Amino acid sequence: MKCHVCGSKLEKIITDMPFKLDNKTIIILKELPIWQCNNCTEFLLDDEVMKRVETILEGVNKAAELEIVRYAA
Ligand SMILES: [Zn+2]
């Protein structure tokens, strides 16, 4: 898989990534598998990963300002 911005190779890595839900809620997903460009800051999520992320984000406590969720749980 190649980066659509710079054309460099994407590498599959496991990382922690913040998602902003609304103006005050931030979710940090731990141990998320993503494709990271080794040349620029672009990254991609697999479709199945994106779907699971959406499911996780729907299920979080939106009253909290910060939630930390382990992706692989
Ligand atoms: Zn790139």
Side-chain angles (χ1 to χ4, degrees), residues 2-10 36-43:
K2 282 189 174 177
C3 176
H4 64 274
V5 173
C6 72
S8 289
K9 200 163 165 271
L10 296 178
Q36 171 73 62
C37 179
N38 61 16
N39 184 54
C40 71
T41 58
E42 276 297 303
F43 63 91

Side-chain angles (χ1 to χ4, degrees), residues 15-34 43-46 49-58 60-62 64-71:
T15 189
D16 304 337
M17 188 168 284
F19 288 85
K20 209 169 172 210
L21 262 197
D22 54 36
N23 285 335
K24 67 177 179 66
T25 306
I26 292 173
I27 314 298
I28 295 175
L29 286 184
K30 303 275 284 182
E31 297 172 18
L32 187 67
I34 68 165
F43 63 91
L44 281 178
L45 272 63
D46 283 332
V49 173
M50 197 64 225
K51 282 199 189 106
R52 179 153 161 73
V53 166
E54 285 172 4
T55 303
I56 291 171
L57 295 185
E58 282 169 12
V60 298
N61 175 14
K62 294 185 178 64
E65 291 188 4
L66 178 67
E67 283 268 300
I68 300 172
V69 182
R70 193 171 295 268
Y71 174 81

